[in-house]
Amino acid sequence: MAAHFGRLRKGATTTAVAAVAVAALSASQAPGVTTDDLGRQSAGSAQPSGDANTGGEGGGATGDSPYYTDLPPLKSPNPSPSASPTTGTTVSVGDGEAGIPATVLDAYKKAEAELRASKPGCNLPWQLLAAIGKVESGQARGGRVDASGTTYSPILGPKLDGNGFALIADTDNGAYDGDPAYDRAVGPMQFIPSTWEWAGRDGNGDGKKDPNNVYDAALAAGHYLCRFDRDLSVQSQMNAAILNYNNSTEYLNTVLSWLEYYGKGTHEVPDGTGTLPSHSSNSDPASPSPSTPATPSTPSTPSTPSTPSTPKPGGGGSTSPTPKPPTPTSPAPSPTPPTPTQTVDHLEDANTGKLTATAGSAFGAKVAVRAESKASKGVAKVRVRFTIIGDTDATFTGGESVATVVTGSAGTATAPALVAGEKTGDFTVRATVVGRVLGGLDYTATVTPRQADTLTRTGDTPLTCVPGGEFADQVELKATYKGAVAGKVAATATLIKSADDATENDKGPYFKDADGKTIRTLTDLTTDADGVLKLPKLYADDATGTFLLRVNTTGGAVLTVELKVAAAAS
């Protein structure tokens, strides 16, 4: 891992560095510029242990792409109050490094507000997004974004071709990064295409999920950090979230340094005037590669009179000179061994149970697969992606529809528990190997409707009415299942002809639809969260006698209620 560089100093040095940075920023925005290869290099051997070449989201949101290593100034901002030039609100004015471009800062704060509403337990601070944005792209290259938050030209990391970086073959046909051969990290928050495909969000409400838009990217980063029900107010969970974003201990330390710095005060600066970082994780000079040393020259010696050559026996001529030894050559480099991912031939099921659950409950079984080589041996340290596919609101624990798990020593990966939503029916869980084009495994999961096995009336008052009148009391029922409240259970109510004939009656009590017309069957009824079902008001025609109302629920609960219509006593 490259050492940290770029700690700013006060005085003339700071001014000179800032001028160079602004000049570089301006040059990168010249007409005709369509990409911005940050030229950053992954940390290599200093990364935490793991398979660095598995590709996909195995390297976190960024594919463990390179990042900027500049650290905050040694002096804290010590902000003083001042009015924002764009909003008029009081902001903090401090060191130049503490300034964040207005649109970029707005994107971070809007993302924090959305996560506060959708995932309040995550406790995401916008300063964490700012710290990551600083390290990943220098706050969108100093805030070079348009009014909607989209960068003037794409921010692209280097090709992840395995040459000093992770090896991630193209996953998006170049749709996001313009590269049909290899993936590249994209946008202000540096998402790789395979991660953006499922993690992308629409943060500015324009109907698109664009990794080059700082509102979209900031919101996606917030949701990515808040996965797995993390509480970022707990330091260990925040550390895990940052490492999941880019798996490097030095990356973690750099982000935490900026988080602490921004937490002490920051201020808004105009878009395009932010400070551009000058050092990245490949800034160190490369170590010289081994080579064959040149033969040292021999100091010249004083000339001596030449000695006549000794004639060879049998003829004239001089003796032959002593031959020079051959120059040693470097040994040929040994071939690079394949990564664990490259040895995977297929996925096998690992005793996955039956995937069935009632709406709103957790599935009892989990999807489990085994990554195997051609010899059917389990392969460890391989990242397997589990994706929920289909028209369903089921999720994995934590509310995500995608989860990535690293295979253990036996080659097995088990997906997080599935949680059923309210939509019933079948959906698919697909398991694939991240970083390889291999056939995946599909599992069918089924969400069954909520059930009730018992229905009872909540009151015991007789239900009576005079001909042509309306019943004073509405029918109210309570549903239970195995003794517990059965909330959100579907039900149907029908006024039937008799206990033995469940067809709809053509006389007697009736309900009214929205237009006031007579109806005697109600569908699409649902018990509330407490299992209570209150039917609409009942009316009576001119027929007298005892009539029956039958209510059925999903799961087999049935209740028949008597309705009496009689003339009023004289």
Side-chain angles (χ1 to χ4, degrees), residues 78-388:
N78 294 324
S80 58
S82 177
S84 164
T86 58
T87 64
T89 57
T90 300
V91 296
S92 299
V93 178
D95 190 274
E97 279 287 359
I100 298 177
T103 299
V104 179
L105 180 60
D106 185 55
Y108 296 149
K109 291 185 176 181
K110 277 185 168 57
E112 180 199 57
E114 196 279 343
L115 267 299
R116 192 185 303 123
S118 62
K119 294 185 178 181
C122 178
N123 295 303
L124 171 77
W126 67 260
Q127 290 89 345
L128 176 57
L129 296 176
I132 291 176
K134 180 71 172 181
V135 171
E136 291 294 347
S137 68
Q139 310 297 20
R141 294 182 303 210
R144 295 290 297 173
V145 297
D146 62 21
S148 69
T150 302
T151 58
Y152 288 125
S153 59
I155 301 176
L156 299 177
K159 295 181 179 181
L160 299 177
D161 57 4
N163 184 20
F165 311 103
L167 174 61
I168 307 180
D170 175 68
T171 61
D172 66 331
N173 294 319
Y176 294 118
D177 55 15
D179 191 329
Y182 298 98
D183 274 353
R184 304 172 73 167
V186 182
M189 304 304 278
Q190 289 289 278
F191 279 93
I192 55 174
S194 58
T195 302
W196 183 262
E197 188 63 30
W198 60 265
R201 295 290 195 281
D202 177 14
N204 63 351
D206 63 357
K208 297 184 295 184
K209 300 176 183 179
D210 183 2
N212 293 298
N213 182 279
V214 70
Y215 287 98
D216 295 358
L219 184 58
H223 278 278
Y224 190 94
L225 294 165
C226 288
R227 293 190 305 159
F228 311 125
D229 288 334
R230 291 191 181 108
D231 180 357
L232 300 186
S233 65
V234 178
Q235 190 62 53
S236 61
Q237 295 188 38
M238 176 182 283
N239 292 353
I242 297 170
L243 286 171
N244 193 219
Y245 204 90
N246 192 318
N247 192 20
S248 159
T249 301
E250 190 155 351
Y251 177 87
L252 168 67
N253 293 335
T254 306
V255 169
L256 290 178
S257 296
W258 282 105
L259 172 62
E260 180 183 12
Y261 182 73
Y262 287 139
K264 293 178 180 177
T266 185
H267 60 282
E268 177 186 296
V269 299
D271 290 343
T273 65
T275 304
L276 191 68
S278 55
H279 295 86
S280 59
S281 56
N282 68 331
S283 293
D284 287 338
S287 302
S289 56
S291 60
T292 304
T295 304
S297 57
T298 305
S300 59
T301 55
S303 301
T304 56
S306 58
T307 304
S309 299
T310 305
K312 290 185 179 181
S318 60
T319 59
S320 301
T322 305
K324 293 181 179 180
T327 302
T329 58
S330 299
S334 57
T336 303
T339 65
T341 300
Q342 292 170 333
T343 66
V344 176
D345 179 71
H346 59 275
L347 289 175
E348 286 288 339
D349 177 58
N351 298 319
T352 299
K354 187 176 181 180
L355 300 173
T356 303
T358 302
S361 64
F363 283 73
K366 296 180 180 181
V367 177
V369 299
R370 187 169 185 258
E372 295 186 352
S373 65
K374 285 186 178 180
S376 296
K377 292 184 177 180
V379 183
K381 296 183 179 180
V382 173
R383 287 173 172 83
V384 177
R385 178 181 295 150
F386 299 94
T387 306
I388 295 175

Side-chain angles (χ1 to χ4, degrees), residues 418-476:
L418 285 164
V419 179
E422 294 303 321
K423 290 185 179 179
T424 59
D426 295 344
F427 64 92
T428 299
V429 179
R430 178 167 297 163
T432 55
V433 176
V434 177
R436 288 293 305 277
V437 181
L438 295 173
L441 292 180
D442 283 355
Y443 294 86
T444 299
T446 303
V447 179
T448 59
R450 297 171 185 262
Q451 301 180 38
D453 56 15
T454 304
L455 275 174
T456 56
R457 280 190 64 195
T458 58
D460 55 5
T461 303
L463 300 169
T464 62
C465 182
V466 297
E470 61 183 52
F471 287 80
D473 297 311
Q474 291 177 241
V475 178
E476 186 176 274

